[in-house]
Amino acid sequence: MRTTLVVEPSATAAAAESTAPQRNWRPIAWSAPPLLVVLLFAVYPVVRVLTESTAKSGSWSQVLGSESFRNALWRTVSIAVCSTAGCLVLGSFVAVVLAFVPFPGSGAVGRLIDTVLTLPSFLITLAFTFLYGTAGALDALIAQLTGNHSPALNFLSTPTGVVLAEITYFTPFVVRPLLAAFAQLPREQLDVAASLGAAPWRVLRRVVLPEAWPALAAGGSLVLLLTLNEFGIVLFTGAKGVITLPALIYIRGVVTFDLPGAAVLATVQVALSLALYVAYRLIFARFTVSRPTQEG
């Protein structure tokens, strides 16, 4: 004997209406806490800086028209570009050696690179001071060998010293994405290219590097953003000889207590970072879209 369960339409509609508000409010309840955190710790400081930059009339024209701002802007961009280029060259070389040229101790070198990522930037600048400073170990060694006690190395307080320190500190940010990209490269492609008689440089240029472009772009863009906003290395290494936008913001806001001027400079710094990030996203999106088309 077969029984049929009949549910009245009114009961079904009432049950749906009672559960609908719960399904609608649940995503809002889950997204509200992170949204409040972003508004409190990210949006509010930026809005506060923008408001402070307009508190004093004429602060924008006064700051942007000053020679110190132009020099700091040029110094910031030039140091960031040079440091990023150096990190890309050195990081690519180190990643290729670690991935494709096995040698004793390569694993220890990789772990050492991971360790550098966890260190604060001022440790690198202190190491540079102990090694290459006017009273550092190399100057003392040169003085012992030559008998000349005048400083032979005196580049730490120049843009060259800042660039070298930033290359030393930020190169692992390029090495690590490249190593991850090389680990996903099929070894069969390398074996086939080598069996066909391709030279190692040709394999590197035609097989390895095309697969590494996304990782190289990601690492380079990250380094460019970090060096554009770097303050610790500039403060410890460049001292008073190198004034970048972050250093000028510090001088305006803390030393001379010119908060409106510091807010104007901070707004320019934020605008530069956002513009660079948007440009990177557009270029990376175009690259990822065009690459499957070329492969197809």
Side-chain angles (χ1 to χ4, degrees):
M1 182 176 181
R2 182 177 300 175
T3 59
T4 304
L5 181 61
V6 179
V7 180
E8 295 183 1
S10 59
T12 306
E17 289 179 359
S18 62
T19 58
Q22 296 179 358
R23 289 198 301 267
N24 291 336
W25 283 101
R26 186 174 297 174
I28 298 176
W30 279 104
S31 61
L35 181 61
L36 290 176
V37 171
V38 171
L39 290 175
L40 182 62
F41 292 100
V43 177
Y44 174 73
V46 175
V47 174
R48 187 71 179 87
V49 168
L50 291 174
T51 305
E52 187 66 30
S53 66
T54 59
K56 182 180 178 181
S57 61
S59 57
W60 277 88
S61 59
Q62 180 182 0
V63 172
L64 298 184
S66 62
E67 185 179 358
S68 61
F69 167 74
R70 293 192 294 270
N71 293 336
L73 180 61
W74 164 248
R75 188 63 54 81
T76 302
V77 174
S78 60
I79 288 177
V81 171
C82 293
S83 300
T84 303
C87 289
L88 289 175
V89 173
L90 181 60
S92 300
F93 174 77
V94 173
V96 168
V97 171
L98 290 177
F100 303 109
V101 186
F103 61 92
S106 60
V109 174
R111 288 189 292 271
L112 180 61
I113 291 174
D114 294 336
T115 304
V116 173
L117 293 174
T118 64
L119 298 177
S121 59
F122 70 86
L123 288 180
I124 299 298
T125 59
L126 287 179
F128 263 63
T129 303
F130 294 147
L131 288 175
Y132 310 116
T134 54
L138 285 182
D139 259 337
L141 179 62
I142 293 174
Q144 271 190 340
L145 294 177
T146 62
N148 184 10
H149 294 281
S150 60
L153 301 176
N154 191 15
F155 63 89
L156 286 184
S157 59
T158 65
T160 302
V162 176
V163 169
L164 292 178
E166 290 188 353
I167 290 175
T168 303
Y169 181 72
F170 289 111
T171 293
F173 290 88
V174 176
V175 175
R176 182 47 56 191
L178 283 177
L179 288 178
F182 292 155
Q184 297 178 357
L185 184 66
R187 295 290 175 176
E188 292 79 7
Q189 295 184 9
L190 303 179
D191 296 338
V192 169
S195 64
L196 294 176
W201 286 109
R202 184 178 179 85
V203 174
L204 179 65
R205 188 177 70 254
R206 302 296 295 273
V207 179
V208 176
L209 289 183
E211 298 293 332
W213 282 126
L216 198 63
S221 61
L222 177 61
V223 170
L224 187 59
L225 279 172
L226 293 174
T227 54
L228 196 68
N229 298 283
E230 178 58 35
F231 174 68
I233 292 178
V234 176
L235 180 64
F236 278 82
T237 306
K240 295 182 180 180
V242 180
I243 303 297
T244 60
L245 276 181
L248 191 59
I249 293 171
Y250 173 79
I251 293 173
R252 289 263 189 168
V254 177
V255 179
T256 62
F257 208 67
D258 181 14
L259 294 182
V264 172
L265 295 172
T267 303
V268 174
Q269 186 78 27
V270 171
L272 281 176
S273 300
L274 291 178
L276 181 62
Y277 177 75
V278 171
Y280 157 71
R281 294 299 302 176
L282 292 176
I283 294 174
F284 191 74
R286 180 174 298 181
F287 178 81
T288 54
V289 168
S290 62
R291 186 179 173 187
T293 304
Q294 293 176 358
E295 291 178 354

